[in-house]
Amino acid sequence: MTRPAPETGAASALLRSAVLDWYDRHGRDLPWRDPGCSPWGVYLSEVMSQQTPVARVLPVWERWLERWPTPADLAADSPGEAVRMWDRLGYPRRALRLWESAGVMVERHAGQVPRDHDDLLALPGVGPYTAAAVASFAFGDPRTVVDTNVRRVLARTVSGTQHAAPALTAAEMRLAEASMPDDRDEANRWNAASMELGALVCTARAPRCDDCPVSHLCAWQVAGRPAHDGPPRRGQAWHGTDRQVRGRIVQLLRESADPLPRRDLATTWPDDPAKVERCLAALVDDGLVEPVEGGYTLPR
């Protein structure tokens, strides 16, 4: 396996070893990390876990695998059932993309999750992160996996900054690539371990530095944990946003076995009928809601 030449500031072998040792002892026992988990199970976990806590993902992941244990099983069902079974994981377009990608797997890959990285990237809704994660965790192909947790861990331990950039930069990607171990197995473990450290210890708002296995090696800690000096970091608003209203509309339809008339959907935000109309139109455009005789329903 060929790696880029290490850059100044890449994670040291000592730092990587300490993180890997910590992961071996403290990594969560998640079902999609089991060696016997199918590539389909890993694929589902990666799509479901995007911007969603693991505690919410676990029961939905289990229900999906019980109902649709293979891509062919999901592809044979309706897209509306995928949205219905998505429950409250958020961003329900991911459920549609999963249904679409299952169809592609059946049509082009003999009903299997493709091993090839380019084929993974070509699946509906799959970007560089998901393709790299599935390649690494399902097939042992150690592509560089970079999510917000990894970016934060490298920003603090190597770059000495409290937060990563607002969006992934080329410099961050080069740092992540240069920080990967050369050994194939270690590289795959590093992908999981650095993500886990960011999820459990090196968290965004309240890092548990006293419990960190690399606090003595962390550039940010050694520098005295300097405060963020970039633009203010603002949390995403939720109340009253189109996203909230869209979610309420989808939830009403998810709970109903029959189409719902427009007047019932208007109850999702009665103070602003125009907002409901805008959100409903957007959901129809996205394929998440289907107009039928008698009102609206999930896609069939």
Side-chain angles (χ1 to χ4, degrees):
M1 178 175 55
T2 302
R3 293 282 173 211
E7 296 185 351
T8 301
S12 68
L14 186 61
L15 185 146
R16 292 196 304 262
S17 177
V19 172
L20 290 171
D21 288 345
W22 169 86
Y23 177 70
D24 289 342
R25 296 193 307 272
H26 300 290
R28 289 170 291 185
D29 184 19
L30 301 175
W32 47 82
R33 289 178 177 164
D34 189 294
C37 183
S38 67
W40 175 238
V42 174
Y43 183 80
L44 290 179
S45 76
E46 288 301 331
V47 175
M48 290 179 173
S49 297
Q50 294 168 13
Q51 302 183 54
T52 308
V54 165
R56 288 171 55 193
V57 169
L58 268 169
V60 179
W61 181 85
E62 290 170 347
R63 289 196 294 268
W64 271 58
L65 271 184
E66 181 178 358
R67 180 164 179 174
W68 301 304
T70 70
D73 294 314
L74 177 57
D77 213 329
S78 73
E81 281 306 295
V83 175
R84 194 181 307 278
M85 288 284 288
W86 193 249
D87 201 6
R88 296 178 179 271
L89 288 186
Y91 300 102
R93 273 179 291 188
R94 289 181 291 164
L96 281 186
R97 300 295 89 82
L98 275 172
W99 179 80
E100 292 169 357
S101 65
V104 172
M105 292 175 196
V106 170
E107 293 170 7
R108 302 180 190 173
H109 305 291
Q112 303 296 319
V113 178
R115 297 181 66 101
D116 182 80
H117 185 254
D118 289 339
D119 288 338
L120 286 168
L121 276 173
L123 293 173
V126 171
Y129 165 78
T130 301
V134 173
S136 179
F137 303 142
F139 300 116
D141 175 13
R143 300 278 172 167
T144 305
V145 178
V146 185
D147 72 345
T148 54
N149 289 313
V150 174
R151 292 173 60 218
R152 184 168 58 254
V153 166
L154 292 178
R156 289 176 179 166
T157 61
V158 179
S159 301
T161 58
Q162 182 181 14
H163 298 298
L168 179 64
T169 66
E172 285 180 313
M173 195 67 209
R174 289 194 300 269
L175 172 59
E177 290 171 348
S179 296
M180 289 280 283
D182 290 325
D183 179 79
R184 184 184 185 89
D185 291 338
E186 280 197 5
N188 285 312
R189 286 170 57 228
W190 169 254
N191 278 334
S194 54
M195 289 173 60
E196 190 80 335
L197 186 68
L200 299 184
V201 177
C202 193
T203 55
R205 295 186 179 179
R208 296 166 45 213
C209 295
D210 289 345
D211 298 321
C212 180
V214 293
S215 60
H216 60 299
L217 302 172
C218 174
W220 182 57
Q221 180 78 10
V222 171
R225 299 177 57 172
H228 176 66
D229 61 358
R233 298 173 62 85
R234 297 182 177 87
Q236 290 184 333
W238 170 250
H239 183 73
T241 61
D242 283 9
R243 184 182 161 208
Q244 182 184 22
V245 177
R246 284 163 56 103
R248 288 184 173 184
I249 293 172
V250 171
Q251 186 60 29
L252 276 181
L253 295 174
R254 186 182 287 126
E255 294 168 352
S256 176
D258 301 312
L260 292 179
R262 188 182 296 260
R263 65 176 178 274
D264 287 359
L265 300 179
T267 63
T268 56
W269 206 260
D271 294 339
D272 192 347
K275 182 189 290 287
V276 176
E277 289 296 322
R278 181 173 68 249
C279 292
L280 184 57
L283 288 167
V284 171
D285 287 344
D286 287 345
L288 285 164
V289 170
E290 185 177 323
V292 296
E293 184 177 354
Y296 295 85
T297 185
L298 297 179
R300 296 180 293 183

